[in-house]
Amino acid sequence: MGIPEKIKKIEEDLHRTQVNKKTEHHIGLLKAKLAKLRRELEASESRAGGGSSVGYDIRKSGDATVVLIGLPSVGKSTLLNKLTNAKSKIGAYHFTTLNVVPGIMEHRGARIQILDLPGIIEGASSGRGLGKRVLSVARSADLILFVVDVFQPEAREILKMELYKIGIRTDERPPNIAIEGTSSGGITISPQVKLTKMSEELVKDILRVYGVNSARVIIREDISDEQLVDSLLGNRVYVPSLTAMNKVDLVTHGFTNELSLKLSFGFVPVSAEAGINISLLKEEIYRKLDLIRIYMRPRGGEPDLKEPLVVRNGATVLDICNKLHRKMSEDLRYAQIWGKSVKFGGQKVGATHKLMDEDVVTLVTK
Ligand SMILES: Nc1nc2c(ncn2[C@@H]2O[C@H](COP(=O)(O)OP(=O)(O)OP(=O)(O)O)[C@@H](O)[C@H]2O)c(=O)[nH]1
Ligand SMILES: [Mg+2]
């Protein structure tokens, strides 16, 4: 039996099985097997040059990358044009945009790349429309900006699900679990918390599906079977998201307020066309990216306050070196810092020192 047939068989089995307490184990195991087979199928397709996972050729530029994900005609291109210097084509019909259109948004000294994409439809992840290619652009994004139409807010769930199906987890953290292979002794599990979403037996059986027969498993949070599979497959990406609720020029304030009470997620109400809340959205994008600005000061000179280096929060002196020049980190003796990350101005620190917003940095090299 080939892989597609095996997949079909399991899908049928899943379809037939009623969901209840008694079938939980069976279903969890089937899902784990299915995920493994789908992965194998993808691998064999890309080896054969099937091209199903071939993405667009986009050059990353700027300090961070944001992608616009939305159904057709929700106003993604109109929004890109408002946020950046780009001129993406706008149309009153579906699939106006057929390619990736980049733009640069400048905000608080940061240069943020925003990518406009063709519209996504339900089923995109399994190959409908340009779907898979478009969705895979989101893999390398620092932030996903869901663009939804104020009359179609439920689209966000569809988009999230399509991303989920190709391994992109929005607003989730990688599961907190450690699997340490051992040469013998079977599988021992030490859960640090009570597992409510699956039994230890299911954990073991899923591990065996993935060829792990002997290991020490430390589970530090109450994870689900899907999260366990995620950590075993290891090719998942975790990307934060933000939602822009577009076309609010067509509704009253009351309508928007009611939406925010009704929906389970927060959003920024905007009108790309009428230019409502565009600066608010820029600020939210910047905040969500969690960027900090670092000012470089040459030794014995004045800091350059005009052009900060923009990096992710949590960046170290080493990250700054790497951003400046590849060889810089090898030559570094120490750095001197003025700002919030140190106790006193001019303090000497090493490569692993974590920087904070608006720190002034001098790199002292050999
Ligand atoms: N009323 C109103 N119309 C808007 C707004 N933003 C976009 N539109 C209109 O919606 C239609 C679609 O806009 P586009 O920006 O092309 O939408 P898109 O999401 O890029 O569409 P595709 O590229 O086909 O996926 C156009 O007729 C726009 O003029 C808005 O804020 N309010
Ligand atoms: Mg468009």
Side-chain angles (χ1 to χ4, degrees), residues 152-200:
Q152 242 180 329
E154 67 283 358
R156 184 179 177 274
E157 207 39 55
I158 297 170
L159 302 167
K160 228 173 136 73
M161 190 44 82
E162 293 302 326
L163 289 168
Y164 188 89
K165 285 184 186 159
I166 65 156
I168 300 173
R169 306 285 177 260
T170 44
D171 307 313
E172 267 184 46
R173 284 172 174 284
N176 197 344
I177 166 173
I179 302 166
E180 231 176 80
T182 50
S183 52
S184 63
I187 300 171
T188 51
I189 299 176
S190 18
Q192 317 286 52
V193 292
K194 194 173 148 52
L195 295 180
T196 66
K197 296 174 191 157
M198 61 177 162
S199 66
E200 289 194 21

Side-chain angles (χ1 to χ4, degrees), residues 70-79 89-97 116-119 246-250 270-274:
L71 299 185
S73 299
V74 295
K76 297 179 296 298
S77 301
T78 313
L79 190 59
K89 194 175 161 207
I90 296 167
Y93 47 90
H94 283 10
F95 300 111
T96 305
T97 309
D116 181 24
L117 295 171
N246 193 31
K247 307 196 184 181
V248 294
D249 56 306
L250 301 176
V270 298
S271 170
E273 199 164 76

Side-chain angles (χ1 to χ4, degrees), residues 67-128:
V67 301
L68 303 183
I69 296 283
L71 299 185
S73 299
V74 295
K76 297 179 296 298
S77 301
T78 313
L79 190 59
L80 177 84
N81 295 350
K82 275 281 152 64
L83 291 170
T84 72
N85 54 351
K87 291 189 178 56
S88 191
K89 194 175 161 207
I90 296 167
Y93 47 90
H94 283 10
F95 300 111
T96 305
T97 309
L98 294 169
N99 253 305
V100 181
V101 182
I104 290 280
M105 172 181 114
E106 300 204 9
H107 191 72
R108 292 185 185 270
R111 289 168 53 78
I112 296 163
Q113 181 182 45
I114 302 190
L115 301 177
D116 181 24
L117 295 171
I120 290 293
I121 46 177
E122 190 162 12
S125 57
S126 44
R128 278 187 71 199

Side-chain angles (χ1 to χ4, degrees), residues 1-54:
M1 210 182 343
I3 299 175
E5 290 78 38
K6 284 186 192 163
I7 289 178
K8 194 148 176 278
K9 240 184 118 211
I10 294 182
E11 279 172 346
E12 282 166 7
D13 195 347
L14 266 175
H15 206 73
R16 254 182 286 134
T17 312
Q18 274 190 23
V19 183
N20 59 46
K21 204 80 204 149
K22 274 196 210 128
T23 57
E24 231 172 51
H25 189 97
H26 182 61
I27 289 175
L29 207 51
L30 286 179
K31 273 164 43 194
K33 284 180 182 164
L34 198 55
K36 183 162 178 271
L37 286 169
R38 285 197 178 127
R39 169 76 179 277
E40 284 167 14
L41 185 65
E42 253 168 46
S44 71
E45 276 173 356
S46 62
R47 265 200 306 276
S52 68
S53 59
V54 176

Side-chain angles (χ1 to χ4, degrees), residues 293-309 320 324 328 332 334-339 344-347 355 358-365:
R293 292 154 296 176
I294 304 299
Y295 300 104
M296 300 308 293
R297 176 181 191 169
R299 224 174 156 183
E302 288 302 309
D304 174 7
L305 298 176
K306 282 218 190 72
E307 279 195 44
L309 281 181
I320 293 290
L324 285 172
M328 196 66 160
L332 182 79
Y334 60 88
Q336 267 185 300
I337 316 279
W338 292 259
F344 57 89
Q347 192 175 324
L355 298 162
E358 301 201 279
D359 273 357
V360 172
V361 176
T362 297
L363 298 174
V364 180
T365 51

Side-chain angles (χ1 to χ4, degrees), residues 238-295:
Y238 297 82
V239 189
S241 85
L242 186 68
T243 303
M245 188 69 70
N246 193 31
K247 307 196 184 181
V248 294
D249 56 306
L250 301 176
V251 299
T252 60
H253 276 297
F255 186 95
T256 319
N257 286 343
E258 238 167 72
L259 264 189
S260 66
L261 292 176
K262 203 174 73 187
L263 298 173
S264 60
F265 55 89
F267 59 81
V268 185
V270 298
S271 170
E273 199 164 76
I276 300 171
N277 283 344
I278 300 301
S279 18
L280 177 67
L281 182 59
K282 284 186 182 177
E283 183 61 21
E284 288 298 319
I285 290 172
Y286 180 86
R287 275 195 17 205
K288 194 80 190 187
L289 282 169
D290 206 9
L291 302 171
I292 57 173
R293 292 154 296 176
I294 304 299
Y295 300 104

